[in-house]
Amino acid sequence: MSNDAPRLPVVGHPPAPAPAPLDLTEVELEDGIRRLKAERNAVILAHYYQESEIQDLADFVGDSLQLSQAAAKTQADVIAFCGVHFMAETAKILNPTKIVVVPDLEAGCSLADGCPAPVFARWLEGYPGHTVISYINCSAEVKALSDVICTSSNAVKIVKALGDQKIVFAPDRYLGAFVQKQSGRDDLVLWQGTCIVHESFSERRLLELMAKHPDAEVIAHPECPESILRHAAHVASTSGLITYAKDSPKQTFIVATEAGILHKMAAEAPGKTLIPAPPADDSCACNLCPHMRRNTLEKLYLCLRDLAPQIDVPEPIRVRALAPIQRMLEMSV
Ligand code: 13P
Ligand code: SF4
């Protein structure tokens, strides 16, 4: 692959002065968002880790793959993306002529932040002839250095589809380890990134919770370390976990992923008992993603009103990042 291609910086629009705070009630904000959405011909896409009131206002709520698929086929003029930066950036890469706005430009991701493109490019030089699979939780620049993108819902399928090609997998080492196990490919070269939320779950506290709820099934996201995954009856993407809780005959689940998922899971699996997996330290809200939580109703209102902040990806990077995303979408049908 063209890892020797020159790197170009990825930029957002220059930071605008912060808008004056609004003096609106929650109901006024929600009505205002609906009105602005219609006026702008906008679609609101939201991830399962968003605050429940944002999920309830969204046109579509999904996991990373579903959100990319929704972004790829939307007819709206404006995409208001309620998630984190790499998700909105993916929507922009797929829709260069549309306006993509986010409630908060600072909503990042520890996996994306932990894999800076210049360092990644140098690291890849040590693995010539390898196919580079990057988890979608990475920057546009890292995508531009990759051969194919994957998400937690298709990573195993994509690795298996590559046969016996030599593979570099980045940036999540726990998802990488899970994929190795599921695909039987123990030779994947893994970048050593982690998600700050999923690595905060404590096996000891999970065991205590399991002892208290012997009938509960543990279900977990593959960004969790193996010490958590080994207790899970089911490991899947956010949408996969929701479907499992809904369809399983079991009544009680200990859910090892970001706690925002419980909102949709409770709606899809009414009457079931959903217990969030415990982080090591009760004094932190470590099972809530601090990046996802930057988005608020007020910021969503403002981004639709002001059409700012916008996501922008320089064209040479966008074109190079698009190819591995499209490859993923083609391999996911
Ligand atoms: P999903 O694609 O499973 O929704 O995961 C996204 C994510 O950021 C998990 O932390
Ligand atoms: Fe990134 Fe983890 Fe937050 Fe998902 S939960 S956006 S992987 S920091």
Side-chain angles (χ1 to χ4, degrees):
M1 83 141 297
S2 56
N3 291 339
D4 51 348
R7 288 177 302 96
L8 293 166
V10 172
V11 293
H13 275 223
L22 297 168
D23 187 20
L24 297 177
T25 66
E26 189 171 324
V27 170
E28 287 168 337
L29 278 174
E30 287 172 356
D31 289 347
I33 289 166
R34 287 192 193 92
R35 175 179 52 76
L36 286 164
K37 194 169 73 99
E39 285 171 14
R40 299 288 193 203
N41 186 27
V43 65
I44 300 176
L45 304 182
H47 188 263
Y48 291 120
Y49 296 164
Q50 289 294 279
E51 297 285 356
S52 52
E53 59 270 27
I54 292 183
Q55 292 190 43
D56 291 344
L57 272 171
D59 297 288
F60 183 80
V61 186
D63 68 13
S64 307
L65 176 63
Q66 294 169 327
L67 288 166
S68 323
Q69 288 165 332
K73 63 174 191 238
T74 184
Q75 298 298 315
D77 297 320
V78 174
I79 299 172
F81 209 114
C82 300
V84 290
H85 192 271
F86 75 81
M87 296 178 175
E89 205 172 48
T90 304
K92 182 67 181 179
I93 290 165
L94 287 160
N95 291 286
T97 60
K98 293 189 197 298
I99 293 172
V100 178
V101 290
V102 290
D104 192 319
L105 205 50
E106 302 292 311
C109 167
S110 66
L111 281 167
D113 298 345
C115 188
V119 184
F120 187 57
R122 269 201 307 282
W123 183 74
L124 286 179
E125 285 167 13
Y127 302 100
H130 284 60
T131 298
V132 180
I133 305 183
S134 292
Y135 187 32
I136 197 164
N137 298 39
C138 65
S139 67
E141 279 183 299
V142 166
K143 288 184 175 74
L145 292 163
S146 308
D147 295 299
V148 58
I149 302 304
C150 71
T151 73
S152 56
S153 60
N154 57 22
V156 174
K157 181 178 173 181
I158 286 175
V159 167
K160 282 184 174 169
L162 293 177
D164 57 3
Q165 292 176 41
K166 291 190 278 183
I167 293 171
V168 161
F169 189 95
D172 186 348
R173 71 177 162 124
Y174 294 130
L175 175 64
F178 172 74
V179 171
Q180 283 190 317
K181 222 171 152 182
Q182 295 298 307
S183 64
R185 285 291 308 265
D186 57 5
D187 59 339
L188 303 188
V189 179
L190 305 181
W191 179 272
Q192 295 295 308
T194 58
C195 160
I196 48 170
V197 176
H198 291 85
E199 72 174 355
S200 77
F201 294 121
S202 153
E203 183 184 21
R204 185 168 301 283
R205 298 201 59 213
L206 178 64
L207 287 167
E208 287 164 9
L209 200 57
M210 288 166 70
K212 247 172 113 181
H213 301 275
D215 294 335
E217 234 175 29
V218 177
I219 56 176
H221 195 279
E223 287 177 14
C224 292
E226 165 59 19
S227 59
I228 300 297
L229 295 184
R230 67 167 160 248
H231 302 291
H234 190 64
V235 178
S237 75
T238 48
S239 67
L241 295 179
I242 291 170
T243 305
Y244 185 82
K246 179 175 151 214
D247 295 344
S248 164
K250 288 274 183 180
Q251 260 308 113
T252 307
F253 300 91
I254 298 173
V255 185
T257 192
E258 214 268 5
I261 197 174
L262 299 175
H263 177 61
K264 245 328 180 250
M265 201 177 266
E268 293 287 318
K272 300 215 172 170
T273 305
L274 309 173
I275 308 167
D281 178 359
D282 261 341
S283 65
C284 73
C286 300
N287 61 351
L288 299 178
C289 174
H291 303 290
M292 291 277 181
R293 305 285 150 173
R294 293 184 74 94
N295 298 334
T296 61
L297 274 186
E298 179 164 309
K299 290 183 198 171
L300 174 56
Y301 176 97
L302 288 169
C303 81
L304 282 166
R305 186 193 71 181
D306 302 341
L307 291 184
Q310 284 186 29
I311 299 289
D312 201 3
V313 182
E315 190 59 10
I317 289 283
R318 190 193 73 77
V319 170
R320 284 184 3 225
L322 179 62
I325 295 171
Q326 276 177 332
R327 195 166 169 203
M328 170 188 77
L329 294 174
E330 283 158 19
M331 291 173 87
S332 304
V333 283

